Amino acid sequence: MVTSAPLLQLQDLTRSVRLPDGSELHILRGVTCDVHAGDHIAIVGRSGSGKTTLLNQLGLIDRQTSGELLFDGLDVRRLSDRRRARLRGAGIGFVFQQFNLLDGRSALENVMMPMLYGTAAQFRNRRRAAMEMLERVGLSARADQTPNRLSGGEQQRVAVARALVRRPRLILADEPTGALDVTTGEAVMSLLDEIARESEAALVTITHDLQVAALSDRAYLLDTGVLTPLEETDQARGALAATAGIRAGRARVAEAGPGVRHGAQGASHAPHPGQEPPTEVIA
């Protein structure tokens, strides 16, 4: 049972924009959610459901219209843009669908990039820290390669290393498997989840894929700006039943320990006898 205070607290969070005709577009409508250190939650939704807007709120990129957003008990709405930027750089790591790596830089240089804006100690130790993180994601031998010489899965692992090199307390993954095949995508999610748990960071995955959502501790549906626990929605109840095998397989791997986790990658996608294969049902 989690007893510590939440790392993230959202209470009745809203975000609206005024349109040229003077009317208001309500993008987020009273979003309420707690995220603790070590949590992995998924937020599922169609295009246009408000996922990117919510991600920008969680990442302290945009400001809410009303409601509360607390980061480690700190009301971020009261912070200046400069303090928000410092908090974002030090405490939040981003993993994007399209990787967003610098084409002309090596994998090592890409991972070192966030350290250029860190503390003096982080700047001095940036090469060592980046190499350690590349080794952690299995790419130390590819450190000198530029992105165009890496596979899609390798590029995403470099992006994961870059997001984690400053040891953030919150990791925001925006469609992290969208540009990958199913097997590579599951391997990347397993790696991201494992590293996040080891560092006790909170992991929030934004996705439209219920197979990815099934890998989380808790999943929510964001629909027309309203956040609802996924299992409570009629739309997703049948699909969640189809992904039960993924959750069960992942639980067995976790119980067996880290020594067998990587060997089990991909196995959790196999349906149980008589069970329909998991399908992506959120367009």
Side-chain angles (χ1 to χ4, degrees), residues 96-103 110 155 159 162:
F96 302 100
Q97 175 180 350
Q98 299 300 332
F99 317 138
N100 291 346
L101 300 179
L102 299 176
D103 291 336
N110 269 280
Q155 290 183 54
R162 180 186 59 190

Side-chain angles (χ1 to χ4, degrees), residues 49-63:
S49 62
K51 298 195 307 295
T52 299
T53 299
L54 182 55
L55 181 77
N56 288 341
Q57 298 290 323
L58 299 178
L60 310 186
I61 296 171
D62 196 9
R63 292 180 182 270

Side-chain angles (χ1 to χ4, degrees), residues 207-243:
T207 184
H208 65 276
D209 188 344
L210 283 169
Q211 290 193 15
V212 173
L215 303 178
S216 66
D217 300 323
R218 304 194 315 277
Y220 296 86
L221 176 67
L222 185 64
D223 188 24
T224 61
V226 177
L227 192 69
T228 308
L230 197 57
E231 65 270 13
E232 295 180 9
T233 64
D234 292 335
Q235 178 184 7
R237 193 170 290 119
L240 280 178
T243 61

Side-chain angles (χ1 to χ4, degrees), residues 142-223:
R142 307 280 280 163
D144 294 332
Q145 300 299 316
T146 53
N148 66 332
R149 300 183 66 86
L150 300 173
S151 69
E154 288 173 331
Q155 290 183 54
Q156 189 59 297
R157 280 190 280 158
V158 172
V160 169
R162 180 186 59 190
L164 301 182
V165 70
R166 289 184 69 178
R167 306 291 179 178
R169 302 184 63 192
L170 171 64
I171 304 164
L172 300 176
D174 186 12
E175 298 283 5
T177 65
L180 305 174
D181 61 81
V182 172
T183 301
T184 304
E186 184 183 350
V188 166
M189 282 306 305
S190 181
L191 175 65
L192 186 58
D193 190 35
E194 182 177 329
I195 295 177
R197 290 185 187 279
E198 287 177 1
S199 60
E200 295 187 342
L203 171 61
V204 178
T205 302
I206 307 292
T207 184
H208 65 276
D209 188 344
L210 283 169
Q211 290 193 15
V212 173
L215 303 178
S216 66
D217 300 323
R218 304 194 315 277
Y220 296 86
L221 176 67
L222 185 64
D223 188 24

Side-chain angles (χ1 to χ4, degrees), residues 5 39 57 76 83 85 111 138 140-141 175 185 196 199 235 241 274:
D39 273 355
Q57 298 290 323
V76 298
R83 286 195 64 193
V111 177
S140 57
E175 298 283 5
S199 60
Q235 178 184 7

